[in-house]
Amino acid sequence: MKTAEDFQNGQILLIDKPLHWTSFQAVNKMKWALKSKLGLKKIKIGHAGTLDPLATGLLLVCTGKFTKRITELQGQAKEYTGTFYIGATTPSYDLETEIDQTFPTEHIDEALIEETVKQFLGEIDQKPPIFSAIKKDGVRLYEHARAGETIEIATRKTTIHEFEITRIALPEVDFKVVCSKGTYIRSLAYDFGKAMNSGSHLTALRRTKIGDYDVTDAMDVTLFEQSLAPQL
């Protein structure tokens, strides 16, 4: 059973973020639990890499002195699994927004899908989604998007170390990706569909690894709260 001193000295906590939660909500609930259960007046706590509300999976949460390691942890390779829906796009590249365009899929077969995967291996140029938290001119991109503004977004270099198709059941395609920091899987979904002369958007996403940390070792936020011994 970890003590208040343990958390102040520094812990790396593996959390399995639930669907529809923001990463901030998960960290905030843990901070509240540490303060209320262990009687801590102050505790440094932060996560090493945001997960979208529509994604689940591994969130690394650092406490106390280990918050200094957040930048190092953010730089590690990340593994994701999920599903692309082929034949339609959305403005957010995922299920946050409604389908805005549909595309033909009759020409798409397993051979084309596997050939297209090869185009995305290694270093690629990727444009972040307009519905993202990146700031342009001091305003987050999703705020521009929700205001209906058209914004020019610069491409970024990112690296796809591994990209494997694990199931083909059109219009759905399941995948596993290992990628560098800053990769948007939503953008990968959009670009993947475009590369097949069609469209695509992300319908499910789960982060399974960050470096050597694995989601199989992670716990639910509620279980974390229950694991804390109340301060006597």
Side-chain angles (χ1 to χ4, degrees):
M1 193 72 71
K2 291 184 175 63
T3 64
E5 189 179 5
D6 290 331
F7 288 107
Q8 294 283 27
N9 286 335
Q11 298 289 320
I12 297 176
L13 305 167
L14 279 63
I15 297 299
D16 190 347
K17 187 193 81 66
L19 188 65
H20 301 306
W21 283 46
T22 66
S23 301
F24 176 78
Q25 281 174 316
V27 170
N28 219 29
K29 187 169 177 65
M30 293 172 71
K31 187 174 187 177
W32 177 86
L34 287 167
K35 284 184 170 184
S36 60
K37 288 281 193 81
L38 300 185
L40 288 164
K41 289 185 178 178
K42 281 187 178 180
I43 178 73
K44 285 185 178 179
I45 185 168
H47 65 75
T50 303
L51 273 177
D52 288 337
L54 293 178
T56 66
L58 184 59
L59 194 67
L60 292 184
V61 179
C62 300
T63 73
K65 294 175 182 176
F66 278 16
T67 52
K68 292 177 181 175
R69 296 186 59 186
I70 284 176
T71 303
E72 164 211 335
L73 294 168
Q74 283 176 332
Q76 298 191 20
K78 297 171 179 66
E79 180 185 276
Y80 296 90
T81 60
T83 304
F84 297 153
Y85 184 98
I86 309 297
T89 56
T90 71
S92 60
Y93 302 169
D94 65 3
L95 294 177
E96 185 185 339
T97 52
E98 298 291 325
I99 288 171
D100 60 351
Q101 281 185 281
T102 56
F103 299 84
T105 58
E106 294 80 9
H107 64 289
I108 297 174
D109 56 16
E110 187 172 337
L112 177 59
I113 290 170
E114 294 294 351
E115 195 59 35
T116 304
V117 164
K118 297 174 187 175
Q119 297 179 32
F120 293 92
L121 288 169
E123 188 177 74
I124 62 170
D125 289 314
Q126 188 182 74
K127 191 175 286 190
I130 183 67
F131 281 81
S132 64
I134 295 170
K135 285 187 176 179
K136 184 177 175 71
D137 302 327
V139 180
R140 298 199 184 276
L141 288 182
Y142 64 75
E143 293 179 34
H144 287 294
R146 286 169 186 163
E149 298 166 4
T150 303
I151 297 292
E152 186 57 41
I153 304 170
T155 59
R156 298 176 165 200
K157 297 283 185 189
T158 188
T159 303
I160 307 295
H161 302 292
E162 296 175 33
F163 186 7
E164 178 189 349
I165 300 301
T166 56
R167 180 183 71 106
I168 298 173
L170 291 171
E172 291 188 341
V173 172
D174 290 353
F175 64 87
K176 183 179 84 171
V177 166
V178 180
C179 56
S180 65
K181 173 190 174 184
T183 302
Y184 279 90
I185 307 299
R186 286 184 285 149
S187 292
L188 182 64
Y190 178 85
D191 293 339
F192 188 73
K194 192 174 180 182
M196 295 193 295
N197 292 314
S198 184
S200 174
H201 63 281
L202 187 68
T203 57
L205 185 65
R206 181 164 176 78
R207 186 157 65 196
T208 45
K209 288 183 183 178
I210 299 175
D212 293 329
Y213 297 100
D214 196 302
V215 74
T216 56
D217 300 317
M219 70 167 70
D220 182 84
V221 179
T222 306
L223 286 179
F224 168 76
E225 188 178 359
Q226 292 170 356
S227 74
L228 298 173
Q231 183 77 9
L232 300 175

